[in-house]
Amino acid sequence: MPLMPWLHCLRGVVSRELLRFLHQRSRFLAALVRPLVWLFVFAAGFRMALGVAMTEPYQTYILYEVYIVPGLVGMIQLFNGMQSSLSMVYDREMGSMRVLLVSPFPRWYLLVCKLLASTLVSVVQVYVFLAIAWWYGIQAPPLGYLWILPTLVVTGFMVGSLGLLLSTFVRQLENFAGIMNFVIFPMFFLSSALYPLWRIREGSYLVYQIAALNPFTQAVEMIRFALYERVNLEAILISVMVTLVLLGLAILGYNPSRGMMARKGGGGD
């Protein structure tokens, strides 16, 4: 197949996702309300009790709201990735993906296009949130806002791949919404998004072990270091490997001959 049809398919999937995002203003506002409530309300209350000691990548002692900004960036991408996968359940049964999944294009390519589109949406949301945080007084080095772009792409693909993988196990929106609650909140709260790992270890060693093994922790740390122009090689490698594994499992799950879609009678074939 020539290159142009592949690019046309990519443009179609990405533009459709962006147009859907532009028309769903409530989705954009909801994506910002959650992190802003943590930043303006909870962080203000916890500021004195949960000040963060000097630790990498920070060069001095910081306030709590400074620490949680990278975690809230991860929150935006986590919720967006799951919400995009929620729409995938609908599109797979009655929407555009039902048609695309029977097109000549390989399913892995269609899924990658879908992930790229949802990641671009999350990147827009993240930069709007960072602009508000900058206005609020939480300012990272200027180049840090460029450094985090590749990490946002990796994180967006990771959480999006997880959502796609979960979507292969359900066929009804109601069931998927329930599964999301059992995935989003444990991933977010059992990570370094809100509290440093060393502080979690002081409270509970078991919770610390779970948080240390949580791949979302590595994604948050990857964003945190990049925002301050630092490289956390371990977090990058783990995040990339987890992304590849989750994406591979999601592609296998959408394989009509071997994946979960085959066991459920197909996904539009």
Side-chain angles (χ1 to χ4, degrees):
M1 187 180 297
L3 177 62
M4 288 306 299
W6 294 80
L7 296 178
H8 182 70
C9 176
L10 173 63
R11 185 183 64 180
V13 174
V14 172
S15 61
R16 181 181 182 276
E17 192 72 18
L18 292 176
L19 287 174
R20 172 188 288 180
F21 169 69
L22 292 176
H23 290 304
Q24 295 177 345
R25 298 181 181 178
S26 59
R27 174 182 172 185
F28 176 71
L29 294 176
L32 291 178
V33 165
R34 282 185 294 263
L36 289 178
V37 167
W38 276 100
L39 183 62
F40 294 153
V41 180
F42 289 93
F46 294 155
R47 175 183 298 175
M48 300 306 298
L50 294 174
V52 179
M54 186 170 59
T55 183
E56 289 188 306
Y58 308 105
Q59 302 299 319
T60 183
Y61 294 94
I62 60 173
L63 296 175
Y64 179 64
E65 55 260 44
V66 176
Y67 175 82
I68 66 171
V69 164
L72 297 180
V73 167
M75 171 195 280
I76 293 174
Q77 293 201 286
L78 179 60
F79 275 86
N80 180 82
M82 292 299 168
Q83 188 172 12
S84 177
S85 299
L86 177 65
S87 67
M88 182 68 174
V89 177
Y90 176 84
D91 285 347
R92 189 185 63 209
E93 299 303 319
M94 295 172 287
S96 61
M97 288 303 294
R98 183 178 180 88
V99 178
L100 286 175
L101 288 175
V102 295
S103 68
F105 295 98
R107 292 200 172 193
W108 66 264
Y109 181 72
L110 297 174
L111 295 178
V112 170
C113 290
K114 175 70 174 179
L115 286 175
L116 178 60
S118 64
T119 299
L120 290 177
V121 169
S122 71
V123 168
V124 173
Q125 295 171 341
V126 164
Y127 275 105
V128 172
F129 168 74
L130 290 176
I132 297 175
W134 177 280
W135 171 82
Y136 186 61
I138 303 175
Q139 301 174 355
L143 287 179
Y145 294 98
L146 294 178
W147 277 52
I148 65 168
L149 182 58
T151 66
L152 295 178
V153 174
V154 174
T155 306
F157 266 77
M158 184 178 75
V159 297
S161 298
L162 176 60
L164 284 179
L165 178 60
L166 293 175
S167 71
T168 64
F169 291 93
V170 295
R171 295 182 65 86
Q172 296 180 348
L173 292 175
E174 296 80 3
N175 296 336
F176 188 69
I179 292 177
M180 283 174 57
N181 290 331
F182 285 99
V183 174
I184 290 178
F185 294 111
M187 282 191 68
F188 180 71
F189 287 107
L190 294 175
S191 72
S192 63
L194 299 179
Y195 317 104
L197 289 180
W198 62 266
R199 188 175 289 275
I200 296 177
R201 181 168 51 187
E202 291 177 352
S204 171
Y205 187 71
L206 176 60
V207 175
Y208 161 75
Q209 289 181 312
I210 297 174
L213 294 174
N214 184 358
F216 187 68
T217 294
Q218 304 301 326
V220 170
E221 293 306 306
M222 179 176 60
I223 295 172
R224 189 187 312 282
F225 274 70
L227 189 58
Y228 288 87
E229 303 177 9
R230 301 283 298 277
V231 176
N232 189 327
L233 187 59
E234 179 183 2
I236 293 175
L237 292 177
I238 293 177
S239 298
V240 170
M241 288 189 295
V242 171
T243 300
L244 293 176
V245 170
L246 291 175
L247 179 58
L249 292 175
I251 292 174
L252 181 62
Y254 272 87
N255 188 314
S257 61
R258 294 186 295 174
M260 292 299 299
M261 305 307 300
R263 302 179 189 179
K264 297 180 180 182
D269 288 353

mmCIF file of all heavy atoms in Angstrom, residues 201-221:
data_model
loop_
_atom_site.group_PDB
_atom_site.id
_atom_site.type_symbol
_atom_site.label_atom_id
_atom_site.label_comp_id
_atom_site.label_asym_id
_atom_site.label_seq_id
_atom_site.Cartn_x
_atom_site.Cartn_y
_atom_site.Cartn_z
ATOM 1 N N ARG A 201 7.440 5.622 52.548
ATOM 2 C CA ARG A 201 8.115 4.543 53.280
ATOM 3 C C ARG A 201 8.079 4.781 54.777
ATOM 4 O O ARG A 201 7.983 3.832 55.560
ATOM 5 C CB ARG A 201 9.562 4.428 52.796
ATOM 6 C CG ARG A 201 10.349 3.304 53.477
ATOM 7 C CD ARG A 201 11.664 3.060 52.762
ATOM 8 N NE ARG A 201 12.402 4.298 52.584
ATOM 9 C CZ ARG A 201 13.527 4.399 51.858
ATOM 10 N NH1 ARG A 201 14.000 3.327 51.240
ATOM 11 N NH2 ARG A 201 14.160 5.548 51.751
ATOM 12 N N GLU A 202 8.120 6.040 55.209
ATOM 13 C CA GLU A 202 8.036 6.341 56.631
ATOM 14 C C GLU A 202 6.681 5.957 57.215
ATOM 15 O O GLU A 202 6.572 5.592 58.385
ATOM 16 C CB GLU A 202 8.285 7.833 56.868
ATOM 17 C CG GLU A 202 9.721 8.264 56.599
ATOM 18 C CD GLU A 202 9.901 9.761 56.784
ATOM 19 O OE1 GLU A 202 8.873 10.458 56.979
ATOM 20 O OE2 GLU A 202 11.051 10.235 56.745
ATOM 21 N N GLY A 203 5.630 6.024 56.387
ATOM 22 C CA GLY A 203 4.292 5.702 56.865
ATOM 23 C C GLY A 203 3.957 4.228 56.765
ATOM 24 O O GLY A 203 3.355 3.664 57.678
ATOM 25 N N SER A 204 4.310 3.598 55.649
ATOM 26 C CA SER A 204 3.994 2.184 55.443
ATOM 27 C C SER A 204 4.975 1.607 54.429
ATOM 28 O O SER A 204 5.015 2.052 53.274
ATOM 29 C CB SER A 204 2.556 2.020 54.948
ATOM 30 O OG SER A 204 2.310 0.685 54.563
ATOM 31 N N TYR A 205 5.716 0.604 54.860
ATOM 32 C CA TYR A 205 6.693 -0.005 53.951
ATOM 33 C C TYR A 205 5.998 -0.795 52.850
ATOM 34 O O TYR A 205 6.482 -0.844 51.713
ATOM 35 C CB TYR A 205 7.641 -0.910 54.723
ATOM 36 C CG TYR A 205 8.773 -1.445 53.878
ATOM 37 C CD1 TYR A 205 9.809 -0.609 53.448
ATOM 38 C CD2 TYR A 205 8.806 -2.780 53.486
ATOM 39 C CE1 TYR A 205 10.839 -1.084 52.650
ATOM 40 C CE2 TYR A 205 9.835 -3.270 52.702
ATOM 41 C CZ TYR A 205 10.850 -2.418 52.285
ATOM 42 O OH TYR A 205 11.867 -2.898 51.499
ATOM 43 N N LEU A 206 4.841 -1.395 53.164
ATOM 44 C CA LEU A 206 4.086 -2.148 52.156
ATOM 45 C C LEU A 206 3.588 -1.223 51.051
ATOM 46 O O LEU A 206 3.733 -1.531 49.860
ATOM 47 C CB LEU A 206 2.916 -2.880 52.811
ATOM 48 C CG LEU A 206 1.978 -3.636 51.853
ATOM 49 C CD1 LEU A 206 2.749 -4.704 51.085
ATOM 50 C CD2 LEU A 206 0.801 -4.243 52.611
ATOM 51 N N VAL A 207 3.014 -0.097 51.451
ATOM 52 C CA VAL A 207 2.543 0.862 50.454
ATOM 53 C C VAL A 207 3.715 1.404 49.647
ATOM 54 O O VAL A 207 3.601 1.615 48.434
ATOM 55 C CB VAL A 207 1.775 2.008 51.134
ATOM 56 C CG1 VAL A 207 1.378 3.074 50.119
ATOM 57 C CG2 VAL A 207 0.533 1.472 51.845
ATOM 58 N N TYR A 208 4.847 1.594 50.305
ATOM 59 C CA TYR A 208 6.046 2.064 49.598
ATOM 60 C C TYR A 208 6.468 1.063 48.519
ATOM 61 O O TYR A 208 6.804 1.466 47.394
ATOM 62 C CB TYR A 208 7.177 2.271 50.595
ATOM 63 C CG TYR A 208 8.543 2.311 49.956
ATOM 64 C CD1 TYR A 208 8.977 3.430 49.248
ATOM 65 C CD2 TYR A 208 9.399 1.207 50.043
ATOM 66 C CE1 TYR A 208 10.229 3.453 48.649
ATOM 67 C CE2 TYR A 208 10.640 1.233 49.458
ATOM 68 C CZ TYR A 208 11.061 2.352 48.755
ATOM 69 O OH TYR A 208 12.293 2.368 48.160
ATOM 70 N N GLN A 209 6.458 -0.222 48.845
ATOM 71 C CA GLN A 209 6.841 -1.238 47.864
ATOM 72 C C GLN A 209 5.894 -1.241 46.673
ATOM 73 O O GLN A 209 6.326 -1.376 45.524
ATOM 74 C CB GLN A 209 6.871 -2.619 48.529
ATOM 75 C CG GLN A 209 8.028 -2.811 49.506
ATOM 76 C CD GLN A 209 8.030 -4.196 50.121
ATOM 77 O OE1 GLN A 209 6.999 -4.687 50.595
ATOM 78 N NE2 GLN A 209 9.178 -4.848 50.115
ATOM 79 N N ILE A 210 4.600 -1.115 46.956
ATOM 80 C CA ILE A 210 3.624 -1.083 45.868
ATOM 81 C C ILE A 210 3.838 0.146 44.993
ATOM 82 O O ILE A 210 3.831 0.063 43.759
ATOM 83 C CB ILE A 210 2.188 -1.096 46.433
ATOM 84 C CG1 ILE A 210 1.941 -2.402 47.196
ATOM 85 C CG2 ILE A 210 1.168 -0.938 45.307
ATOM 86 C CD1 ILE A 210 0.605 -2.444 47.910
ATOM 87 N N ALA A 211 4.062 1.295 45.632
ATOM 88 C CA ALA A 211 4.278 2.530 44.881
ATOM 89 C C ALA A 211 5.556 2.467 44.054
ATOM 90 O O ALA A 211 5.606 2.978 42.930
ATOM 91 C CB ALA A 211 4.323 3.717 45.841
ATOM 92 N N ALA A 212 6.590 1.840 44.603
ATOM 93 C CA ALA A 212 7.856 1.734 43.880
ATOM 94 C C ALA A 212 7.721 0.850 42.638
ATOM 95 O O ALA A 212 8.412 1.070 41.633
ATOM 96 C CB ALA A 212 8.943 1.193 44.799
ATOM 97 N N LEU A 213 6.828 -0.149 42.707
ATOM 98 C CA LEU A 213 6.620 -1.056 41.581
ATOM 99 C C LEU A 213 5.579 -0.537 40.596
ATOM 100 O O LEU A 213 5.428 -1.105 39.512
ATOM 101 C CB LEU A 213 6.192 -2.438 42.089
ATOM 102 C CG LEU A 213 7.239 -3.202 42.902
ATOM 103 C CD1 LEU A 213 6.635 -4.485 43.463
ATOM 104 C CD2 LEU A 213 8.469 -3.514 42.059
ATOM 105 N N ASN A 214 4.878 0.507 40.976
ATOM 106 C CA ASN A 214 3.832 1.068 40.119
ATOM 107 C C ASN A 214 4.470 1.772 38.923
ATOM 108 O O ASN A 214 5.239 2.715 39.086
ATOM 109 C CB ASN A 214 3.002 2.065 40.937
ATOM 110 C CG ASN A 214 1.831 2.631 40.154
ATOM 111 O OD1 ASN A 214 1.642 2.328 38.984
ATOM 112 N ND2 ASN A 214 1.050 3.471 40.808
ATOM 113 N N PRO A 215 4.174 1.353 37.692
ATOM 114 C CA PRO A 215 4.787 2.019 36.532
ATOM 115 C C PRO A 215 4.401 3.482 36.411
ATOM 116 O O PRO A 215 5.140 4.277 35.827
ATOM 117 C CB PRO A 215 4.261 1.208 35.332
ATOM 118 C CG PRO A 215 3.286 0.249 35.856
ATOM 119 C CD PRO A 215 3.349 0.200 37.328
ATOM 120 N N PHE A 216 3.257 3.857 36.972
ATOM 121 C CA PHE A 216 2.853 5.262 36.924
ATOM 122 C C PHE A 216 3.814 6.123 37.737
ATOM 123 O O PHE A 216 4.018 7.297 37.420
ATOM 124 C CB PHE A 216 1.424 5.409 37.451
ATOM 125 C CG PHE A 216 0.860 6.796 37.276
ATOM 126 C CD1 PHE A 216 0.577 7.287 36.016
ATOM 127 C CD2 PHE A 216 0.616 7.606 38.369
ATOM 128 C CE1 PHE A 216 0.066 8.573 35.848
ATOM 129 C CE2 PHE A 216 0.108 8.882 38.221
ATOM 130 C CZ PHE A 216 -0.171 9.361 36.944
ATOM 131 N N THR A 217 4.408 5.547 38.790
ATOM 132 C CA THR A 217 5.424 6.268 39.558
ATOM 133 C C THR A 217 6.599 6.647 38.661
ATOM 134 O O THR A 217 7.100 7.776 38.709
ATOM 135 C CB THR A 217 5.917 5.412 40.735
ATOM 136 O OG1 THR A 217 4.844 5.237 41.665
ATOM 137 C CG2 THR A 217 7.086 6.063 41.448
ATOM 138 N N GLN A 218 7.046 5.707 37.843
ATOM 139 C CA GLN A 218 8.162 5.983 36.943
ATOM 140 C C GLN A 218 7.791 7.049 35.915
ATOM 141 O O GLN A 218 8.620 7.900 35.563
ATOM 142 C CB GLN A 218 8.594 4.693 36.234
ATOM 143 C CG GLN A 218 8.964 3.562 37.175
ATOM 144 C CD GLN A 218 10.092 3.932 38.116
ATOM 145 O OE1 GLN A 218 10.992 4.682 37.749
ATOM 146 N NE2 GLN A 218 10.058 3.389 39.331
ATOM 147 N N ALA A 219 6.551 7.025 35.447
ATOM 148 C CA ALA A 219 6.112 8.034 34.487
ATOM 149 C C ALA A 219 6.109 9.421 35.120
ATOM 150 O O ALA A 219 6.556 10.401 34.510
ATOM 151 C CB ALA A 219 4.716 7.686 33.967
ATOM 152 N N VAL A 220 5.630 9.512 36.362
ATOM 153 C CA VAL A 220 5.606 10.794 37.060
ATOM 154 C C VAL A 220 7.023 11.301 37.302
ATOM 155 O O VAL A 220 7.320 12.490 37.105
ATOM 156 C CB VAL A 220 4.839 10.671 38.389
ATOM 157 C CG1 VAL A 220 5.021 11.924 39.239
ATOM 158 C CG2 VAL A 220 3.362 10.426 38.136
ATOM 159 N N GLU A 221 7.925 10.408 37.730
ATOM 160 C CA GLU A 221 9.305 10.828 37.971
ATOM 161 C C GLU A 221 9.999 11.238 36.679
ATOM 162 O O GLU A 221 10.827 12.155 36.668
ATOM 163 C CB GLU A 221 10.073 9.698 38.657
ATOM 164 C CG GLU A 221 9.595 9.394 40.067
ATOM 165 C CD GLU A 221 9.594 10.637 40.944
ATOM 166 O OE1 GLU A 221 10.647 11.303 41.029
ATOM 167 O OE2 GLU A 221 8.542 10.955 41.523
#
